[in-house]
């Protein structure tokens, strides 16, 4: 992990960074495990539980949480806090369907806390497309990269 505080220019330059992209298919066993973890029953007709949107977009876009930490130059694994996860579901996600996924950084800014500390707010957006190219879901993830002394 990074030990030096990145410059404002380094953080702002992340806007527009695109992840490699790829495909993701939720198999029945994966959906069953995820659904059980929520304490819910399986949804009808092979629908996937929405909790899949925590990992499907990230993995499907060809990245990982560790890579996203590194991209924002996290000081440690413990320096990231979640500001928000916004999920938009335009049609039910289904088991055994290969979804195309892309993602990018849509905003990045330095936020001062006091005279000697700050955090960087980085917002990632992922789009999940059906095999026909329709937008099935969109997730917007906002993380705070807490910085040490300036």
């Amino acid at each position: 992990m990074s030990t030096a505080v990145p410059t404002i220019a380094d953080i702002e330059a992340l806007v527009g960074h695109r992840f490699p992209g790829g495909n993701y298919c939720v198999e029945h066993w994966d959906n069953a495990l995820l659904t059980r973890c929520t304490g819910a029953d399986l949804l009808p007709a092979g629908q996937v539980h929405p909790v899949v949107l925590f990992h499907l977009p990230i993995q499907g876009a060809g990245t990982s949480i560790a890579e996203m930490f590194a991209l924002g130059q996290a000081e440690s694994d413990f320096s990231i806090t979640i500001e928000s996860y916004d999920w938009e579901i335009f049609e039910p996600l289904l088991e055994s369907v290969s979804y195309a996924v892309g993602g990018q950084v849509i905003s990045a800014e330095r936020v001062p806390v006091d005279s000697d500390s700050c955090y960087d707010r980085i917002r990632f957006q992922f789009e999940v497309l059906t095999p026909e190219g329709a937008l099935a879901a969109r997730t917007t993830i906002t993380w705070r990269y807490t910085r040490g002394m300036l």
Side-chain angles (χ1 to χ4, degrees):
M1 294 287 155
S2 178
T3 56
V5 175
T7 67
I8 295 171
D10 289 339
I11 295 304
E12 291 174 347
L14 295 175
V15 175
H17 172 85
R18 298 193 68 77
F19 297 105
N23 291 287
Y24 195 94
C25 180
V26 180
E27 300 299 338
H28 175 74
W29 67 266
D30 193 15
N31 185 36
L33 287 174
L34 287 168
T35 302
R36 283 191 197 119
C37 288
T38 68
D41 293 327
L42 284 172
L43 296 171
Q47 291 182 42
V48 176
H49 193 284
V51 76
V52 77
L53 291 175
F54 275 120
H55 74 272
L56 179 158
I58 292 170
Q59 289 181 311
T63 192
S64 67
I65 289 173
E67 289 175 10
M68 293 165 67
F69 280 15
L71 183 67
Q73 300 181 47
E75 291 180 1
S76 77
D77 289 347
F78 305 104
S79 66
I80 305 294
T81 57
I82 298 168
E83 187 168 307
S84 66
Y85 276 81
D86 181 32
W87 296 346
E88 299 171 272
I89 302 172
F90 302 103
E91 61 180 71
L93 299 174
L94 302 172
E95 296 175 352
S96 303
V97 172
S98 183
Y99 292 96
V101 185
Q104 66 179 329
V105 175
I106 60 169
S107 68
E109 65 180 322
R110 170 84 27 100
V111 179
V113 174
D114 53 37
S115 62
D116 60 356
S117 66
C118 66
Y119 64 87
D120 294 324
R121 176 183 290 127
I122 301 176
R123 187 167 286 129
F124 306 90
Q125 190 167 81
F126 298 91
E127 292 188 336
V128 179
L129 305 176
T130 67
E132 297 77 32
L135 184 59
R138 180 185 302 124
T139 65
T140 305
I141 302 168
T142 306
W143 286 348
R144 291 183 181 187
Y145 291 68
T146 305
R147 304 300 179 189
M149 303 301 275
L150 294 177

